[in-house]
Amino acid sequence: MKLYLAAVAVLVLVSTALCHEDDKCLGGGKHKAVASREEGMTECSIYSNSSCCTSTFTKQLISPVKEVDGTYWNRCQQPSERCEAFMKRIECFYQCSPHAAHWMNPEYNASIVNVPLCASFCDDWFDACKDDLTCAGNWLTDYKWDADGNHCQRDCVPYSQMYTNGTDLCTNMWGGSFNVSESNCRCLRLDGLDGQDELVLNYILHPGSSSSSSSSSSSSADSQEKSCQRALRRLERQKAKAEVEAEEEGPESVVLKME
């Protein structure tokens, strides 16, 4: 029970540290006009308290996922369970996150551009999908599109042949939607399980005032990175303490947490 309460307390702590009043949803008609609480989400539930998608949309992401809004994921094969899980994290962020619009493409408000992902996330995504098959490097442009969705224009090959590594995967699969952050702290993992993304969003979206001096800007960025790293270390200590308390309580705490 203490583990459950500690986890909730951590999430509340980091959530209140972030200012949400400027959150909004992407345009294009696929998203809500305004983020709001959403009940009954079968997937993407980490965004249920403030969601830009409806619970009806999330039914498309029930495994095994074949098609999402006209994009077929199984043109070469049904994605493996591990690969599908990462694709869901990308889709849930784009469709449901109230933060995605902070990276709205100025030329097309239904899309995102340069969302900073953690290199570790990209490496894990590549490892999960490397043996799966795909026929498109850029899923936005390399398919042939018609009324029946996306169609292959080249042979299906393993992800490990289509992309050289995790960075290549993250920066190319969805065009310019994502990039790989130079920081290993001020970046997103899109899982929401331990509060890290909520915590680092404050450092990503509100990095402090910039300086006209390149040296001062560099110093400011370095200070932000150190502050972010300290905050993550505090979060890790809180998680470790919660895990120790759970072990001391025994199996009963696990049952309570599952309830």
Side-chain angles (χ1 to χ4, degrees):
M1 186 61 173
K2 287 183 179 179
L3 175 59
Y4 175 79
L5 293 176
V8 171
V10 171
L11 288 174
V12 170
L13 177 64
V14 296
S15 295
T16 54
L18 181 64
C19 182
H20 293 286
E21 59 264 21
D22 55 348
D23 284 343
K24 58 182 180 179
C25 297
L26 293 168
K30 290 185 178 181
H31 305 81
K32 294 180 183 177
V34 178
S36 62
R37 184 171 180 81
E38 188 71 23
E39 303 290 345
M41 296 175 73
T42 54
E43 298 286 347
C44 312
S45 58
I46 61 173
Y47 304 112
S48 60
N49 287 332
S50 180
S51 176
C52 285
C53 70
T54 65
S55 59
T56 300
F57 161 76
T58 65
K59 293 178 181 178
Q60 298 181 70
L61 295 177
I62 297 175
S63 298
V65 181
K66 295 181 179 180
E67 176 262 336
V68 180
D69 285 351
T71 299
Y72 287 82
W73 291 13
N74 60 349
R75 286 309 193 195
C76 287
Q77 66 170 82
Q78 188 61 40
S80 65
E81 184 177 343
R82 290 183 63 216
C83 186
E84 182 189 78
F86 277 87
M87 293 172 70
K88 284 186 182 183
R89 284 160 71 172
I90 294 291
E91 196 68 33
C92 284
F93 176 80
Y94 168 67
Q95 296 278 4
C96 306
S97 173
H99 306 305
H102 288 290
W103 291 277
M104 183 185 292
N105 187 333
E107 298 181 358
Y108 179 49
N109 68 3
S111 66
I112 51 179
V113 62
N114 293 329
V115 178
L117 298 179
C118 297
S120 58
F121 168 86
C122 296
D123 291 341
D124 290 344
W125 184 8
F126 179 78
D127 183 65
C129 296
K130 63 183 179 183
D131 297 324
D132 282 52
L133 299 179
T134 184
C135 62
N138 183 330
W139 280 39
L140 298 177
T141 60
D142 291 352
Y143 281 113
K144 177 182 177 181
W145 293 88
D146 60 24
D148 296 319
N150 52 315
H151 303 274
C152 291
Q153 299 192 99
R154 62 176 76 173
D155 293 338
C156 295
V157 298
Y159 273 65
S160 58
Q161 184 174 329
M162 183 66 70
Y163 308 103
T164 56
N165 51 37
T167 295
D168 189 20
L169 171 60
C170 275
T171 56
N172 285 292
M173 183 172 179
W174 293 110
S177 300
F178 302 97
N179 65 30
V180 179
S181 176
E182 295 181 358
S183 166
N184 62 4
C185 184
R186 291 174 291 163
C187 56
L188 303 178
R189 297 187 306 172
L190 310 184
D191 56 13
L193 297 178
D194 59 10
Q196 177 171 324
D197 276 10
E198 284 288 345
L199 185 151
V200 301
L201 271 165
N202 195 37
Y203 294 92
I204 296 173
L205 300 177
H206 308 287
S209 58
S210 59
S211 170
S212 58
S213 168
S214 59
S215 60
S216 295
S217 297
S218 175
S219 176
S220 176
D222 184 59
S223 177
Q224 282 288 317
E225 180 69 16
K226 289 179 179 178
S227 295
C228 183
Q229 293 287 357
R230 286 195 296 269
L232 278 187
R233 286 195 291 270
R234 287 196 297 271
L235 183 61
E236 289 296 329
R237 288 195 295 270
Q238 290 170 318
K239 288 161 52 183
K241 181 180 179 181
E243 290 170 0
V244 170
E245 290 180 349
E247 291 178 359
E248 291 175 348
E249 285 190 334
E252 181 183 0
S253 64
V254 177
V255 174
L256 289 171
K257 181 177 181 292
M258 293 302 294
E259 294 176 348

